[in-house]
Amino acid sequence: MNKAQLQTASYGIRLLTGHLRQDGESLDMAIASRDFEAAVSMVSPLVSVSIILVRQLKSALGSDVSDALRSAHASAMPKDDACWAAAVHLIEEAVAGDAPSVVEQYPIGVGIGAQDIARGAASALAQLRGEHPNAVVAQLRKQLREQVEAVQLADKESVEAKMEEYASDPVMRASRIEAASALVVAINESAVALHDRAIDLNAREKTDARDSYEGVCRVAVTAAALGAGVIQLIEANNHYPAYALVRQIVETEFVLWKFQREPILAASWLNSDRDAREQSWKPSRIYRDGDNEYRQKDYAGHCEMGGHPTPTGTLVAAGERSSIAEASVLGDLILHLRESWIHILVAADALDLNVSESAPSVGGELRAKVENELNSWSRVDKYGFSTSYFSDPID
C-alpha cells in the first residue's frame, strides 16, 4: 500500500465509523444534505476499506472472495443489490491484483454498495471473533499504522503475476516511455525559459532576481539531463545504472523542493561554495526537514537499488526480471520528474510574482501539454497499482 492508498483507506475507516455509529462524517450525511460533490469524494475511500475487510473475512473463513462476499451480504442485508454488485466488481478486481476500473456512471451508488459491503464484512468478522463491529473497524486503524499484510488491497501472489503482465504489456510500456520523455522535454524547455528570463533581468541590472531564476534553471536542466540519460539506458536495456541516475534525480528534486518553498534560496544556492552546500543542501539535511514528505528510508531505497553495490542491485545489473526492472525504473522516473516539474512551476510562479513579471516564465501551453501527457499515461499504465503492494509509506 502506498502513501496515497494509506490516506484513502484511513479516510474510509473514518467514514465507515460515522456510518456505523450514525454520528460524524459519513456518506449518509453527505447524501442527506445533498452534498453530492462530497459524496463522490467518499467513494474511493469506502471501496478501499471494503476491499480490506473482505480480504480479512476471506482469511478468517479460509474461503475465496465469493464466499466472503456472500457472508458479508448475509450480515448486511443491503437494500439495493445493484449498488452492491457494482462495488463487488471493483473488489474482485482489486483482490485479484488488477487496477480497479474507473467509476464513470453513478459513483454514489458504488459508494453505497461499498459501504454496505464494508458494514457486512465488519459484522461477519465481529461475529467470528466475538466482538462488536465497531471494534473490528477500530482495529483497522492500528493495522494501517503498522502496515501489516492484512490491510493490503490485493493478495500477494496475484499481485506478483500482475506485475509481470503489466510490465511486459507493449501499450503500457510505450505509455511509460512517452510520459517520461514528455517530462524530460518539458523540464528542459522550462529551464530554457527561466534562463531567458534571467538574461532579460540581467540586462535590466536586477542581479538578485537574475540569480534566482538562473539557480532554478540550472537544477532543472540537470534533472532533464539525468532523465534523458535514464531513458537512453533503458533503451540499451541497462537498468542498474538507470536506477543510479534516478537516485541523482531524487537529489535534484530535493533541491527544487527547497526552491519552491523559498525561491530566494535559488540565488544563494547558485553562489554557494562546497562548505555552504554541505551545511544546507545535502540530501540528508533536506529529507530530515520537519515539514517535507521526503523520508530517509525512501532515499535509502534508491541507494539500495542503484547507489551502491548490493545483492539486489547486482541482480538488476545481471538482467534479472528485466521487464519488471524497466517498468520500475520508468515508473520511478515519471513520479520524480513529475514532482520536480511541480516544484519548478511553483518556484517560477513565485519568482514572477516577486519581480512583478506579468507573463509567466513557463507558459500555459507547455503546462497543458504535460498535464495531457500525464493524464494519458495514468489512464493506460496499471503497473503502479501492482507495485503498491510492496510500497512502504511509514517512516
Side-chain angles (χ1 to χ4, degrees), residues 26-36 38-39 42:
S26 69
L27 180 62
D28 314 299
M29 294 286 288
I31 293 172
S33 62
R34 303 184 67 80
D35 189 349
F36 299 123
M42 297 173 180

Side-chain angles (χ1 to χ4, degrees), residues 246-262:
V246 170
R247 187 188 74 151
Q248 297 306 109
I249 291 172
V250 172
E251 296 193 5
T252 63
E253 181 188 345
F254 285 177
V255 176
L256 289 167
W257 172 80
K258 289 202 74 169
F259 288 172
Q260 74 140 26
R261 285 184 70 239
E262 297 182 69

Side-chain angles (χ1 to χ4, degrees), residues 13 16-17 20-21 132-145:
I13 290 172
L16 181 57
T17 300
L20 291 173
R21 294 179 177 174
H132 192 278
N134 287 346
V136 172
V137 178
Q139 189 179 7
L140 284 185
R141 295 192 187 91
K142 181 174 183 292
Q143 292 174 324
L144 277 177
R145 287 195 297 271

